[in-house]
Amino acid sequence: MHIGNPAAQNLIYLPHSPIIPDHWSWQQSDAVETLISANSNHWRKIMVIAAKIFSPDEDWRHFLYSDLLWKLCLCTEPSAQQPVDGIQLISGKAASDMLNVSTLKATPLLLEPKLQQLNAKTWLVPYLDYRQFPDRMIALLRQAISGVSNA
């Protein structure tokens, strides 16, 4: 399932899908609020962490509610990697298993071994939950991907 702009340059793979409300569209002005409201706090955390990673500046709250689903696609229960021009984050072991991604060729980030780079634009990251992916790790990933075009 794709949540967000299917033509977005950046993509996050997640192992589970949220409940999608009837008549919901990622293009509606309250798409994020409606999706969070229909699901648990768990999906609020996922959306907030995604916004913190991909926001072009420190105002991730504005980005979350205005641009997140336009600039990013969440691919849930993935079976294959999608061709995108920007950053791809494979979130958690379950998502990497679904995509048959091996960590053997991944290069861990020096300051944080849980952030592993597969190639210039593809990263294996912890599941988007604050216990596994705290703010200091989000900041390290933001710094690592900031030099990549289309990030």
Side-chain angles (χ1 to χ4, degrees):
M1 169 185 301
H2 288 89
I3 301 165
N5 184 351
Q9 292 189 8
N10 299 308
L11 190 132
I12 298 177
Y13 298 99
L14 294 161
H16 309 289
S17 297
I19 296 167
I20 302 296
D22 291 338
H23 311 293
W24 180 86
S25 167
W26 64 269
Q27 297 165 313
Q28 67 193 59
S29 61
D30 65 344
V32 171
E33 295 97 324
T34 302
L35 193 65
I36 290 171
S37 178
N39 289 275
S40 64
N41 190 43
H42 175 76
W43 276 93
R44 182 190 61 78
K45 292 176 189 177
I46 289 170
M47 301 298 248
V48 166
I49 291 172
K52 286 181 175 184
I53 293 168
F54 287 102
S55 178
D57 54 38
E58 295 302 314
D59 189 5
W60 61 264
R61 286 175 183 85
H62 175 75
F63 181 78
L64 171 65
Y65 295 110
S66 65
D67 295 328
L68 179 70
L69 296 180
W70 290 90
K71 305 283 184 179
L72 176 71
C73 186
L74 303 172
C75 181
T76 62
E77 302 176 39
S79 58
Q81 285 186 260
Q82 306 295 310
V84 294
D85 292 332
I87 299 296
Q88 293 189 53
L89 302 180
I90 302 170
S91 179
K93 183 174 177 355
S96 66
D97 288 348
M98 289 175 173
L99 294 168
N100 295 316
V101 173
S102 171
T103 60
L104 296 176
K105 294 184 180 181
T107 304
L109 190 63
L110 183 61
L111 297 173
E112 181 49 69
K114 291 181 183 178
L115 299 174
Q116 301 178 350
Q117 189 172 22
L118 289 172
N119 60 48
K121 296 182 180 184
T122 306
W123 289 79
L124 296 171
V125 299
Y127 189 73
L128 302 190
D129 180 279
Y130 284 116
R131 291 168 293 196
Q132 298 176 51
F133 208 149
D135 282 339
R136 68 167 181 74
M137 197 180 300
I138 291 168
L140 289 170
L141 180 62
R142 277 181 57 88
Q143 183 178 21
I145 66 176
S146 68
V148 177
S149 63
N150 300 320

